[in-house]
């Protein structure tokens, strides 16, 4: 049953299996194990990034397409929920209309980009997507009447998901059973379903063709596959999954703005996570997202403890200062890429084969 659920793509390795199980159980029981607000926000961000990075891996890892427009579709999903909820009011009808509208816009844009751009060479396609994403970011900032401009949009979510909604008066096993609790488990269930769906896609005959195109598109074309059609479909699927991830972000934050979902820094984070976790594997998105977001949020706290331990030592105390956490985060990523050139999942599977 487990093999069928994972589309017969088992982790293949005890260490990787334990790592994935730890991530799954940690995310599933975060509200009970770590009931604080920060821990819940970090876990929610991990869930959103797992979907976002896995959707990008459909392009880069499985099809060999480098795109810089992925955050554009992420932002479309977030803006779809934000605009519909702020215009139509709180309620599931507004959420459904916003999500449906965002999916239609992403479908049309990704189809146009795929049909008109995927015939060019890889570097030119990457530049085209970068230009389109930059234009969309500028547009979102300037259309202030629709998008709120640089200030973004605040909106109300359905009553079931509002923090003020309480289902139980007393905490259950240390967790407050309220609207925030319901929002988190909505994210968890949707993210889990989308990851399983992407596993199904990449392990289907369609996914095998994508991998063939990645390895040698000329040979794939020679044996009868229309590579442009498959690349376009891959682009569309990745865009739709990214749109749903953006919608989940908006529902969790109850806010969206240009820097929240359209920032180029998010695109860089996606690329880092794909490389660290391992390209061409959905499991890499799970492991990479968890490690990246945890390091991003808790490395500074760990450095504060280290700074107290080495206080008074002239040079070392400056190096371990919490203000330099980004420097150490960058060094950790460089070391990770150097020691795991095929990503963490790729390395673990290679060791398993040996």
């Amino acid at each position: 049953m487990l093999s069928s659920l994972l589309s017969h793509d088992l982790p293949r390795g005890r260490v990787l299996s334990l790592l994935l199980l730890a991530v799954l159980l940690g995310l599933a029981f975060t509200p009970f194990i770590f009931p604080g607000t920060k821990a819940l926000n970090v876990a929610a961000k991990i869930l959103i990034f797992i979907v976002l990075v896995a959707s990008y891996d459909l392009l880069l890892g499985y099809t060999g397409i480098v795109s810089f427009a992925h955050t554009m579709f992420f932002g479309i999903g977030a803006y779809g929920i934000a605009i519909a909820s702020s215009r139509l009011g709180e309620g599931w009808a507004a959420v459904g209309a916003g999500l449906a509208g965002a999916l239609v816009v992403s479908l049309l844009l990704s189809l146009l980009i795929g049909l008109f751009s995927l015939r060019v060479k890889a570097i030119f396609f990457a530049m085209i997507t970068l230009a389109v994403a930059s234009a969309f970011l500028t547009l979102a900032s300037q259309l202030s009447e629709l998008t709120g401009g640089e200030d973004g949009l605040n909106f109300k979510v359905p009553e079931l998901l509002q923090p003020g909604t309480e289902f139980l008066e007393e905490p259950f096993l240390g967790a407050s059973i309220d609207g925030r609790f319901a929002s988190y488990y909505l994210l968890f269930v949707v993210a889990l379903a989308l990851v399983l769906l992407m596993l199904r896609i990449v392990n289907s005959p369609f996914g095998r063709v994508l991998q063939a195109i990645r390895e040698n598109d000329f040979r794939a074309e020679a044996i009868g596959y229309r590579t442009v059609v498959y690349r376009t479909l891959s682009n569309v699927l990745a865009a739709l999954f990214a749109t749903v991830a953006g919608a989940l972000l908006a529902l969790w934050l109850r806010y969206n703005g240009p820097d929240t979902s359209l920032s180029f820094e998010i695109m860089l984070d996606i690329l880092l996570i794909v490389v660290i976790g391992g390209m061409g594997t959905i499991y890499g998105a799970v492991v990479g997202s968890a490690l990246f977001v945890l390091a991003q949020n808790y490395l500074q706290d760990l450095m504060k403890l280290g700074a107290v331990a080495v206080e008074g030592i002239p040079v070392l105390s400056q190096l371990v200062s919490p203000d330099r956490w980004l420097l150490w985060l960058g060094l950790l990523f460089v070391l990770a890429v150097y020691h795991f050139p095929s990503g963490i999942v790729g390395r673990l599977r290679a060791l398993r084969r040996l």
Side-chain angles (χ1 to χ4, degrees):
M1 181 179 177
L2 179 62
S3 181
S4 299
L5 191 64
L6 297 177
S7 302
H8 305 287
D9 186 6
L10 296 174
R12 298 196 300 273
R14 183 176 299 176
V15 176
L16 180 56
S17 299
L18 291 175
L19 195 57
L20 290 170
L21 185 62
V23 173
L24 177 63
L25 294 178
L27 292 173
F29 296 105
T30 292
F32 302 101
I33 304 173
F34 309 104
T37 303
K38 181 178 180 179
L40 204 61
N41 285 327
V42 170
K45 188 176 180 181
I46 291 173
L47 290 170
I48 292 166
F49 262 82
I50 285 173
V51 177
L52 182 61
V53 173
S55 65
Y56 187 70
D57 203 33
L58 286 176
L59 282 178
L60 182 61
Y62 284 93
T63 320
I65 299 172
V66 179
S67 171
F68 293 113
H70 210 59
T71 49
M72 178 181 73
F73 301 112
F74 185 57
I76 288 172
Y79 269 113
I81 298 294
I83 293 172
S85 297
S86 59
R87 295 296 178 98
L88 303 177
E90 61 183 78
W92 292 107
V95 172
L99 180 59
L103 288 172
V104 170
V105 172
S106 292
L107 174 65
L108 295 176
L109 277 176
S110 60
L111 193 60
L112 286 173
I113 292 172
L115 291 176
F116 289 105
S117 304
L118 285 174
R119 293 178 181 273
V120 300
K121 292 184 178 180
I123 185 63
F124 297 107
F125 176 73
M127 292 300 102
I128 289 171
T129 57
L130 179 60
V132 172
S134 301
F136 192 85
L137 174 59
T138 304
L139 197 64
S141 300
Q142 293 180 350
L143 295 177
S144 56
E145 293 184 1
L146 181 65
T147 64
E150 293 292 338
D151 296 329
L153 291 171
N154 290 293
F155 58 93
K156 290 185 177 180
V157 294
E159 186 178 359
L160 180 69
L161 306 179
Q162 292 178 9
T165 302
E166 293 187 358
F167 301 103
L168 294 177
E169 293 183 0
E170 298 295 329
F172 177 71
L173 298 179
S176 298
I177 312 301
D178 53 15
R180 206 64 171 160
F181 182 88
S183 297
Y184 178 78
Y185 278 104
L186 173 65
L187 261 66
F188 179 81
V189 171
V190 173
L192 181 61
L194 291 177
V195 168
L196 293 176
L197 179 58
M198 281 186 272
L199 272 173
R200 179 72 65 184
I201 290 172
V202 299
N203 289 289
S204 67
F206 173 79
R208 301 302 182 195
V209 175
L210 295 183
Q211 294 173 57
I213 293 171
R214 177 195 65 194
E215 296 299 326
N216 195 314
D217 58 342
F218 294 107
R219 289 184 180 179
E221 187 82 40
I223 60 177
Y225 294 109
R226 297 189 62 184
T227 57
V228 173
V229 174
Y230 281 90
R231 287 174 184 240
T232 303
L233 289 174
S234 175
N235 193 48
V236 170
L237 285 173
L240 294 179
F241 282 118
T243 302
V244 178
L248 294 176
L249 176 71
L251 285 174
W252 178 255
L253 296 179
R254 306 186 304 282
Y255 164 82
N256 187 53
D259 293 335
T260 306
S261 57
L262 293 172
S263 172
F264 191 69
E265 292 179 4
I266 300 175
M267 190 69 243
L268 294 178
D269 291 345
I270 295 170
L271 287 168
L272 276 172
I273 295 171
V274 168
V275 172
I276 291 169
M279 289 189 292
T281 166
I282 300 297
Y283 297 129
V286 177
V287 175
S289 298
L291 292 177
F292 179 86
V293 176
L294 287 173
Q296 200 177 45
N297 287 274
Y298 290 108
L299 181 61
Q300 192 173 17
D301 295 337
L302 290 175
M303 290 184 66
K304 288 179 182 177
L305 298 176
V308 172
V310 297
E311 187 177 3
I313 304 176
V315 179
L316 194 58
S317 61
Q318 291 296 318
L319 287 175
V320 188
S321 171
D323 295 333
R324 291 177 174 78
W325 71 277
L326 276 174
L327 169 65
W328 290 101
L329 186 64
L331 288 174
L332 286 175
F333 291 146
V334 170
L335 291 173
V337 172
Y338 179 77
H339 290 287
F340 303 99
S342 57
I344 295 173
V345 173
R347 178 73 170 180
L348 290 175
R349 284 183 166 176
L351 290 175
R352 167 70 177 173
R353 287 194 295 269
L354 290 175

